[in-house]
Amino acid sequence: MENCIFCKIANGEIPAATLYEDEDFRVILDLGPASKGHALILPKSHAANIYELSDELAAKAMILAKKMAVKMTEALKCDGFNIVQNNGETAGQTVFHFHMHLIPRYTGDGVGLTWTPGTLTDEIKEEILTKMNA
Ligand code: 5GP
Ligand code: ZN
């Protein structure tokens, strides 16, 4: 992808603070961090979102996310850890090259990743189960 900033960063054409690199991925520090150590897992090959990501890279990305969570938690002494992955503008995606957010959490950090819980009604539950099993 010619004009994709994350393709350029992942492949080393634009420098970024790199926490980890292998043949498939680069993990970089986010320039607008939600918390200290907020990082992004970027595949080196372009996929706009999870729908375009290969099964192979999806599996590898999850394993890498786990490894990074363990290493970062030890190194940064954080108290918790969020892994966030946005798909589509409606879901908050702003860079359209698949990435996973690694967000170390610190007690009292005020990072807002929460929502107001609704209620699962029987009607909605049945509707969703019908649609998903169609
Ligand atoms: P999204 O909203 O698409 O899930 O997340 C995009 C993330 O990329 C944001 O957290 C934003 O701060 C980060 N970001 C955008 N451009 C750059 C950049 O050029 N370099 C780095 N390191 N992070 C970026
Ligand atoms: Zn890209």
Side-chain angles (χ1 to χ4, degrees):
M1 278 291 285
E2 229 164 78
N3 275 320
C4 174
I5 179 107
F6 280 4
C7 275
K8 289 180 179 152
I9 292 173
N11 291 288
E13 290 162 45
I14 294 175
T18 298
L19 303 185
Y20 173 87
E21 185 184 1
D22 63 24
E23 61 178 355
D24 296 311
F25 298 97
R26 184 186 296 269
V27 181
I28 62 164
L29 288 179
D30 194 300
L31 277 186
S35 69
K36 191 168 80 180
H38 181 171
L40 302 170
I41 295 180
L42 310 180
K44 290 186 174 179
S45 60
H46 184 83
N49 48 44
I50 201 165
Y51 309 112
E52 290 186 6
L53 192 69
S54 69
D55 286 358
E56 188 192 346
L57 280 181
K60 286 180 173 174
M62 193 64 209
I63 291 167
L64 179 55
K66 184 208 154 157
K67 285 187 176 147
M68 291 303 302
V70 170
K71 177 89 195 284
M72 289 169 74
T73 299
E74 280 170 12
L76 302 174
K77 311 270 181 254
C78 57
D79 304 304
F81 209 92
N82 291 115
I83 295 171
V84 177
Q85 199 277 308
N86 302 325
N87 298 284
E89 220 172 312
T90 301
Q93 187 176 11
T94 59
V95 180
F96 295 90
H97 174 122
F98 176 90
H99 51 280
M100 291 170 89
H101 294 263
L102 304 172
I103 306 178
R105 298 299 305 274
Y106 305 90
T107 303
D109 63 18
V111 174
L113 290 172
T114 56
W115 55 85
T116 307
T119 305
L120 179 61
T121 62
D122 286 343
E123 191 188 350
I124 298 290
K125 182 172 68 184
E126 289 312 321
E127 179 194 327
I128 294 166
L129 291 176
T130 302
K131 285 177 175 169
M132 288 302 295
N133 294 308

